[in-house]
């Protein structure tokens, strides 16, 4: 077992670990840090694509009765915008931090199943490319990210569009489930000595609960997608009303997945904020235990509120009451978290660095998203708000004002650790203010037009309903929001050129990743640390009576690391080809499927018998 | 690193007047809001169901605003009050405060209870169908238009629902194809329609006028153009409208040469020579195939396309958004795919003079 051999206990035969280079080393890597970086890079690329889709949408809506986009193009763009941002943007950005930070936070040398980790990355990346490849055929999914039956049926969506969607989401689901198992086991089994569950960093707790949500909710969407796939390709009738199928079944299955999915998107961000607030307030997290239980409670309740997405279906007064009250209940643990973050900063010594700007921006914006969430938990009020722009405003305050602000905070916070140099503070603050103002310009007016009767998912709107000015403001905001992302990338470039070397602990951090050099060596910890509290670094610093010395780079000779493997990548191709084969079946028969399945089998076989020593 | 004037300009330590542009931007919101009119607003209810919903909305709104001010205020206070410098001594290491945590669990719970009670009360009311002297209406969603039936009268119309002011209207709703959602912001909020079941809604309108509504559940390529109108009439005016539909159902019949009984032309006063343009339009309505999808008889809906009884006096075309002028009607007939791309009505190769005749003919149905 890897961690049983400490760094200094090397044998004569052991050699030092050197940083690998070259494309091949990246394609075959099983190092959680490299996999994390690739997750982040691909997620940001998809985030930019989703952002471009949003800009096209905003350009179309900038004036009434516009025909910049055809209705079909618009429907494809809004479907892909939602699908991309959720499954290819925010989730894999969180996965970047899971990958990079969980092992460092818990004092491990890698995740529990390093090759499975590589497999998750490649399946996600190929799934994302597959989904976007639909644009090349002019057949991008056009039924909404929620893919409601029976519009998604072959009868009403005869093209390849929704096949791409159903297959793409199944591919991505496999990536998420594999990663979910991996991090779940990693967190339970790979913690450093002394790190009891209630000493884990809050980010690890949030990640742990997120994996639970993934493991419990993704099977539900998988079932729904398989039903849809069979309806579309093999003529079954799960959702066909004419033959006794029920479109309502889709809604229940989708939202039993879909609501926990919301927490899958936001809980990792809660974790990031819970790391940043204490460090930049120079005070421990306020009410740690309450934060842990609040997170768990949010996740638990998250499975009991799905039908609040369906108030307008007329489920009857008792169902409406149950789901209204359950939804309101979620505001309590969420409130506890917000107050505890405020309590963390209260009485602290707040250091206004860029990560803290974004964290405070998160607090301000997420609070607004939470409040509008409570507003449509009231079922009667939701009868006006659902499917209007008010809801669009709400979830962008939660997912952009919340998740994206928090993920950006995390990027500024951990950048020095990941890349060994500091990001520029001045550009960082410019980035924050531009993004903060542009964000509000884009999404605040959506509350107003929504309440004044503008429905969602419409490719245009008539003049004279009072929507024009607000939509213009939103479009200007969206362009500035796009610009703010360019400022972010400009910061990467400027900072990489300047390359101000980052010390091991630039912020005065509390958690284990700050005890090792920036960037970490391939084996993370020369010697696996022993943990005695929630803020091990602060303990050590106090014991040392001041700053800790820079940790030296060590040879790491004798530390066992799993060797690179090509099979995860090949297996990922096998999985992707299997789903493509479903779409080719009508034309080419079973042969593509037989070839793809053989590739997958071969890869897994070789993977299983590959020597790891 | 070059000095960034903008980043310094809005830093939290800059004097207050540096932040003026930001404040001006915030004031812009109410200024712009005040300058607009919102004919499709949920905030200007004109019926009892919408009033009920509006009451719940404002309950959540005021409590939400209170929470917003308190939390964002506390956040700003913390940022300004506890701002430190890197060389400041370490602040007191507080790990929590049980009393505070109990309080900020309990206070939100109380606020939520204040919202929950009126919410639950309103939920049950939304499901109480009106009884007694009511008008029953059946709503049928189609890709991408709305059919309205008066089952007690055996009459059908499309895209413009006429109701008498003050009368309780009970809606029973379904769809022939995919899911839609009938959203009438001023009167009844919204309810989804399903192909294999019926859903209900009710309202009573208190102000006459022509109000817009829209499909709110994504339903395909023309979801954006699936509007409708709710036209609230004084009772006498409403009776006149129903009279028009009734008349379309019982026209004095004149069999034409093919034996088809499709005409309403006989309704012209005796002694008046039939208008050749109308006769031409009537013929085209059959020959161009319009009649395959559209009925001019409110008692005999064809169902594929909207019933056209009374089309001459409708206010809008193409599902509630295109003004019913002769020019728009002619264009709609000639090139529906250009007016509303993807609509199920095909371009039928109607020429300009033919369209003119058809417009004249349809215009006569009022």
């Amino acid at each position: 077992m890897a961690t049983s051999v400490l760094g200094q206990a090397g044998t004569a035969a052991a050699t030092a670990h050197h940083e690998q280079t070259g494309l091949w080393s990246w394609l075959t890597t099983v190092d959680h840090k490299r996999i994390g970086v690739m997750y982040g890079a691909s997620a940001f690329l998809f985030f930019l694509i989703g952002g471009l889709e949003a800009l096209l949408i905003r350009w179309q809506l900038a004036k009434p009765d516009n025909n910049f986009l055809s209705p079909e193009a618009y429907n494809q763009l809004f479907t892909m915008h939602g699908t991309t941002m959720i499954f290819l943007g925010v989730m894999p950005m969180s996965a970047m931090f899971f990958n990079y930070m969980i092992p460092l936070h818990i004092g491990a040398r890698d995740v529990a199943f390093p090759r499975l980790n590589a497999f998750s990355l490649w399946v996600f990346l190929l799934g994302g490319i597959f989904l976007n490849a639909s644009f090349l055929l002019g057949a991008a999914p056009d039924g909404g990210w929620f893919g409601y039956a029976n519009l998604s049926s072959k009868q009403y969506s005869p093209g390849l569009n929704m096949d791409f969607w159903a297959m793409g989401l199944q591919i991505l689901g496999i990536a998420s489930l594999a990663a979910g198992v991996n991090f779940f086991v990693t967190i339970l089994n790979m913690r450093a000595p002394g790190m009891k569950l209630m000493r884990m960093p809050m980010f690890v707790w949030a990640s742990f609960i997120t994996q639970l949500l993934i493991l419990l909710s993704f099977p539900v969407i998988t079932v729904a997608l398989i039903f849809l796939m069979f309806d579309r390709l093999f003529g079954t009738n799960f959702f066909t009303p004419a033959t006794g199928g029920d479109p309502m079944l889709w809604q229940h299955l989708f939202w039993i997945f879909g609501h926990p999915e919301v927490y899958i998107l936001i809980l990792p961000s809660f974790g990031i904020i819970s790391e940043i607030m204490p460090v930049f307030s120079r005070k421990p997290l306020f009410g740690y235990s309450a934060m842990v239980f609040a997170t768990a409670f949010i996740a638990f309740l998250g499975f009991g509120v799905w039908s609040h997405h369906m108030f307008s279906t007329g489920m009857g007064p008792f169902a409406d009451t149950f789901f209204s009250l359950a939804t309101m209940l979620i505001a309590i643990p969420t409130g506890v978290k917000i107050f505890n973050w405020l309590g963390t900063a209260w009485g602290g010594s707040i250091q206004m660095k860029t990560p803290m700007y974004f964290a405070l921006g998160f607090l301000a914006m997420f609070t607004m998203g939470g409040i509008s969430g409570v507003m449509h938990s009231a079922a009667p009020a939701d009868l006006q708000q659902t499917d209007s722009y008010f809801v669009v405003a709400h979830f962008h305050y939660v997912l952009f004002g919340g998740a994206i602000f928090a993920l950006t905070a995390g990027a500024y916070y951990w950048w020095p650790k990941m890349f060994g140099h500091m990001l520029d503070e001045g550009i960082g603050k410019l980035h924050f203010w531009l993004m903060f103002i542009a964000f509000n310009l884009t999404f605040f007016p959506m509350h107003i037009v929504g309440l004044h009767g503008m429905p969602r998912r419409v490719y245009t709107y008539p003049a004279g309903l009072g929507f024009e000015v607000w939509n213009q403001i939103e479009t200007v905001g969206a362009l500035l929001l796009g610009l703010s992302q360019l400022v972010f990338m400009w910061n990467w470039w400027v900072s990489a050129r300047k390359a101000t070397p980052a010390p091991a602990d630039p912020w005065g951090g509390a958690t284990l990743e700050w005890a090792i050099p920036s960037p970490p060596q391939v084996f993370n910890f020369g010697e696996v640390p022993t943990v005695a509290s929630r803020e091990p670094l602060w303990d050590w610093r106090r014991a040392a009576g001041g700053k800790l010395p820079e940790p030296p780079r060590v040879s790491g000779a004798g530390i066992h690391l799993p060797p690179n493997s090509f099979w995860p990548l090949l297996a990922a191709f096998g999985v992707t080809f299997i789903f493509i084969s479903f779409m080719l079946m009508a034309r080419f028969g079973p042969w593509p499927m037989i070839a793809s399945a053989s590739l997958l089998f071969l890869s897994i076989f070789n993977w299983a018998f590959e020597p790891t020593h | 690193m070059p000095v960034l004037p903008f980043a310094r300009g809005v830093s939290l330590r800059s004097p207050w007047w540096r932040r003026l542009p930001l404040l001006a931007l915030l004031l812009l919101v109410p200024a712009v809001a005040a300058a607009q009119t919102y004919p499709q607003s949920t905030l200007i209810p004109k019926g009892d169901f919408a009033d009920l919903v509006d009451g719940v909305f404002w309950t959540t709104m005021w409590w939400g605003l209170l929470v917003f001010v308190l939390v964002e205020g506390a956040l700003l206070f913390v940022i300004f009050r506890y701002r430190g410098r890197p060389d400041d001594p370490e602040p007191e290491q507080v790990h929590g405060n049980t009393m505070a945590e109990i309080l900020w669990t309990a206070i939100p719970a109380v606020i939520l209870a204040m919202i929950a009670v009126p919410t639950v009360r309103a939920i049950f009311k939304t499901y109480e169908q009106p009884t007694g002297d009511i008008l029953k209406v059946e709503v049928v969603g189609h890709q991408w238009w709305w059919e309205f039936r008066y089952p007690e009268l055996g009459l059908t119309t499309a895209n413009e629902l006429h109701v008498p002011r003050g009368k309780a209207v009970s809606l029973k709703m379904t769809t022939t194809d995919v899911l839609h959602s009938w959203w009438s912001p001023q009167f009844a909020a919204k309810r989804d329609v399903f192909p294999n079941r019926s859903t209900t809604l009710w309202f009573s309108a208190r102000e006459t006028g022509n109000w817009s509504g829209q499909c709110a559940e994504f339903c395909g390529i023309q979801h954006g153009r699936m509007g409708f109108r709710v036209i609230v009439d004084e009772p006498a005016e409403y009776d006149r409208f129903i009279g028009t539909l009734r008349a379309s159902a019982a026209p004095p019949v004149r069999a034409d040469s093919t034996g088809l009984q499709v005409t309403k032309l006989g309704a012209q006063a005796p002694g008046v020579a039939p208008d050749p343009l109308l006769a031409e339009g009537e013929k085209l309505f059959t020959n161009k195939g319009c009649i395959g999808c559209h009925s001019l008889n409110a008692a005999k809906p064809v169902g594929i396309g909207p019933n056209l009884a009374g089309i001459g006096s409708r206010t809008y075309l193409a599902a509630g958004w295109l003004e019913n002028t002769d020019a728009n009607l002619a264009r709609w007939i000639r090139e529906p795919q250009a007016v509303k791309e993807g609509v199920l009505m095909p371009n039928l190769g109607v020429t300009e003079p033919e369209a003119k005749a058809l417009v004249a003919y349809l215009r006569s149905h009022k």
Side-chain angles (χ1 to χ4, degrees), chain A residues 482-495:
Chain A
L483 190 66
S484 74
Q485 298 308 311
L486 295 182
V487 172
F488 192 19
M489 289 186 278
W490 177 44
N491 199 349
W492 305 349
W493 191 70
V494 168
S495 305

Side-chain angles (χ1 to χ4, degrees), chain A residues 99-122:
Chain A
N99 266 288
Y100 209 104
M101 290 304 154
I102 288 175
L104 297 187
H105 267 163
I106 63 176
R109 293 221 165 100
D110 207 320
V111 294
F113 309 113
R115 287 177 296 173
L116 186 66
N117 201 22
F119 173 77
S120 298
L121 165 75
W122 297 120

Side-chain angles (χ1 to χ4, degrees), chain B residues 245-320:
Chain B
L245 293 190
R246 278 219 176 91
S248 80
V253 175
R254 174 179 69 87
D256 66 11
S257 54
T258 61
L260 280 171
Q261 299 177 351
V262 294
T263 183
K264 192 185 167 231
L265 288 185
Q268 284 168 10
V272 178
D275 184 335
L277 198 60
L278 291 188
E280 167 75 4
E282 180 194 8
K283 210 162 71 199
L284 285 166
F285 194 77
T286 306
N287 295 348
K288 286 287 174 188
C290 310
I291 199 168
C293 298
H294 297 283
S295 167
L296 284 161
N297 179 339
K300 288 210 175 82
V302 178
I304 300 168
N307 192 295
L308 295 182
I311 179 76
S313 52
R314 284 200 196 145
T315 51
Y316 288 88
L317 299 167

Side-chain angles (χ1 to χ4, degrees), chain A residues 312 350 364 384 386 451-453, chain B residues 40-42 72 82 190 192:
Chain A
S312 63
I350 299 177
Q384 292 281 25
T386 188
L451 290 174
H452 283 309
Chain B
Q40 196 171 290
S41 179
T42 69
E72 306 283 355
Y82 295 110
K190 68 173 78 70
D192 299 353

Side-chain angles (χ1 to χ4, degrees), chain A residues 16-35 38 110 520-523 561-565:
Chain A
H17 288 284
H18 295 291
E19 196 66 26
Q20 300 178 341
T21 51
L23 177 66
W24 186 252
S25 76
W26 284 89
L27 291 177
T28 59
T29 189
V30 294
D31 176 358
H32 70 98
K33 298 179 289 298
R34 287 185 150 204
I35 291 173
M38 285 192 279
D110 207 320
Q521 291 177 275
V522 60
F523 44 80
L561 289 174
N564 288 10
S565 175

Side-chain angles (χ1 to χ4, degrees), chain A residues 181-429:
Chain A
V181 171
N182 207 342
F183 294 122
F184 189 80
V185 176
T186 302
I187 293 170
L188 279 185
N189 285 356
M190 312 272 288
R191 278 168 287 132
M195 185 174 279
K196 300 172 179 167
L197 285 177
M198 289 307 273
R199 282 183 190 160
M200 294 198 304
M202 199 55 217
F203 175 72
V204 178
W205 260 114
S207 307
F208 182 67
I209 293 169
T210 306
Q211 309 314 320
L212 258 173
L213 286 175
I214 289 176
L215 291 176
L216 293 175
S217 69
F218 267 74
V220 185
I221 184 77
T222 307
V223 166
L225 288 167
I226 290 173
F227 284 179
L228 176 64
M229 178 173 85
F230 270 69
D231 269 12
R232 290 185 60 86
L233 298 182
F234 308 123
T236 56
N237 294 299
F238 290 104
F239 306 119
T240 317
T243 44
D246 193 350
M248 193 73 129
L249 174 65
W250 172 269
Q251 294 196 16
H252 283 293
L253 291 175
F254 185 81
W255 291 118
I256 288 174
F257 150 77
H259 201 80
E261 171 69 16
V262 174
Y263 297 114
I264 292 170
L265 295 169
I266 198 66
L267 289 188
S269 295
F270 285 180
I272 292 169
I273 298 303
S274 301
E275 294 306 313
I276 291 175
M277 291 300 293
V279 169
F280 293 88
S281 305
R282 302 175 65 196
K283 256 183 76 205
L285 185 65
F286 195 94
Y288 174 93
S289 323
M291 290 297 252
V292 172
F293 289 117
T295 310
F297 195 45
I298 290 172
F300 175 75
L301 286 177
F303 278 99
V305 298
W306 75 90
S307 279
H308 70 208
H309 297 270
M310 299 160 60
F311 284 140
S312 63
T313 61
M315 295 174 294
F318 291 99
D320 279 11
T321 300
F322 176 83
F323 286 105
S324 274
L325 298 185
T327 307
M328 287 178 193
L329 218 51
I330 289 191
I332 295 174
T334 312
V336 165
K337 294 194 78 92
I338 288 174
F339 297 131
N340 278 353
W341 287 320
L342 283 173
T344 305
W346 192 284
S349 170
I350 299 177
Q351 309 295 310
M352 290 301 281
K353 302 284 190 188
T354 309
M356 190 60 165
Y357 272 78
F358 279 97
L360 295 169
F362 161 92
L363 270 181
M365 297 298 99
F366 181 79
T367 299
M368 291 176 69
I371 291 170
S372 58
V374 172
M375 290 176 74
H376 36 249
S377 73
D382 186 64
L383 288 184
Q384 292 281 25
Q385 291 157 9
T386 188
D387 285 320
S388 82
Y389 260 88
F390 190 80
V391 171
V392 181
H394 157 72
F395 68 71
H396 280 98
Y397 268 80
V398 174
L399 291 181
F400 201 120
I404 297 291
F405 270 74
L407 291 164
T408 313
Y412 276 96
Y413 180 55
W414 281 309
W415 197 276
K417 179 55 61 188
M418 293 168 73
F419 299 107
H421 62 259
M422 308 297 291
L423 281 178
D424 189 285
E425 278 289 306
I427 304 178
K429 284 167 189 168

Side-chain angles (χ1 to χ4, degrees), chain A residues 494-552:
Chain A
V494 168
S495 305
R497 281 196 47 175
K498 205 165 54 173
T500 312
D505 179 18
W507 314 116
T511 39
L512 292 177
E513 76 270 29
W514 307 112
I516 53 175
S518 303
Q521 291 177 275
V522 60
F523 44 80
N524 298 348
F525 298 92
E527 194 168 351
V528 173
T530 302
V531 175
S533 82
R534 282 171 200 154
E535 293 96 16
L537 248 76
W538 290 0
D539 293 350
W540 300 341
R541 208 157 34 217
R542 276 187 208 110
K547 256 182 126 71
L548 293 168
E550 274 297 302

